[in-house]
């Protein structure tokens, strides 16, 4: 069967690829394009490890067919940093020890970015609600929530509590 030709913009760059009808966007990102930061946890939309931002909306890339990406804009975890400069979310995850394993962390960061893009002043409840679709089997979420709130404050030009850590 012939493959589909798909043209997209990924992390600000035009990207074209060929895919099978049944391939998911996650499959193509990881297996065809080498963007392995998005992880495959459940393949059923339950864990958030595969989170990407598609035309500004947070989606599970395991639930999106690659052909559906035609003409659309995708942001993945690989696009968060600007060269060597970490996104405020990434830096606050590091500084506040919110960094968890390589499976859940990329999805948490992408989901948090999608939240801050649409809501720069989230409450703690909003952050917890927004990240409820990103599962970690190992630990609590308090440091993650704190890091997202700190990053939001930093992006707004405010400081919260952890200047002593700098
Ligand atoms: S791998 Fe997509 S939600 Fe779990
Ligand atoms: S799943 Fe990543 S630290 Fe628990």
């Amino acid at each position: 069967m012939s493959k589909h030709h798909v043209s997209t913009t990924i992390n600000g760059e035009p990207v074209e690829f060929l895919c099978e009808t049944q391939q998911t966007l996650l499959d193509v990102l990881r297996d065809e394009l080498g963007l392995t930061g998005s992880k495959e946890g459940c393949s059923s939309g339950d864990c958030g490890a595969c989170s990407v931002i598609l035309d500004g909306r947070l989606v599970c890339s395991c639930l999106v067919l690659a052909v559906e990406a035609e003409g659309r804009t995708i942001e993945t975890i690989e696009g968060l940093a600007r060269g060597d400069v970490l996104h405020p979310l990434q830096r606050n995850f590091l500084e506040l020890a919110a960094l968890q394993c390589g499976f859940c962390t990329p999805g948490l960061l992408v989901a948090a970015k999608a939240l801050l893009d649409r809501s720069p002043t989230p409450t703690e409840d909003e952050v917890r609600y927004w990240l409820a679709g990103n599962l970690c089997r190992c630990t609590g979420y308090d440091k993650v929530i704190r890091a997202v709130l700190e990053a939001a404050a930093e992006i707004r030009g405010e400081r919260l509590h952890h200047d002593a850590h700098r």
Side-chain angles (χ1 to χ4, degrees):
M1 196 169 61
S2 67
K3 292 192 172 188
H4 303 277
H5 178 266
V6 177
S7 300
T8 62
T9 301
I10 301 181
N11 299 329
E13 302 286 336
V15 175
E16 299 181 22
F17 57 80
L18 296 173
C19 66
E20 308 279 357
T21 304
Q22 74 280 7
Q23 269 184 303
T24 66
L25 179 57
L26 179 62
D27 288 338
V28 166
L29 290 173
R30 289 183 54 82
D31 300 339
E32 313 291 343
L33 302 177
L35 295 171
T36 55
S38 303
K39 298 293 187 273
E40 183 159 22
C42 66
S43 311
S44 56
D46 293 316
C47 76
C50 63
S51 297
V52 301
I53 301 173
L54 182 66
D55 283 349
R57 283 187 54 213
L58 180 65
V59 299
C60 296
S61 61
C62 70
L63 297 183
V64 177
L65 288 174
V67 290
E68 294 181 275
E70 170 61 35
R72 303 177 81 178
T73 297
I74 301 160
E75 294 172 66
T76 72
I77 184 64
E78 287 86 354
L80 241 63
R82 290 280 170 266
D84 290 340
V85 180
L86 294 180
H87 188 281
L89 279 164
Q90 294 170 305
R91 201 173 54 259
N92 278 282
F93 267 57
L94 273 175
E95 292 181 359
L96 296 175
L99 197 69
Q100 302 189 71
C101 79
F103 250 83
C104 62
T105 300
L108 282 162
L109 285 165
V110 170
K113 171 150 191 314
L115 171 63
L116 299 191
D117 284 350
R118 61 188 280 159
S119 175
T121 55
T123 64
E124 178 175 336
D125 280 353
E126 285 167 342
V127 176
R128 288 185 181 277
Y129 181 81
W130 188 265
L131 296 181
N134 292 83
L135 301 186
C136 164
R137 294 163 183 80
C138 321
T139 183
Y141 292 85
D142 282 350
K143 289 179 178 175
V144 169
I145 306 303
R146 178 60 42 206
V148 174
L149 291 169
E150 291 280 357
E154 185 179 324
I155 292 168
R156 295 195 304 269
E158 303 164 12
R159 299 290 335 132
L160 288 183
H161 306 300
H162 77 297
D163 284 339
H165 293 262
R166 289 169 184 269

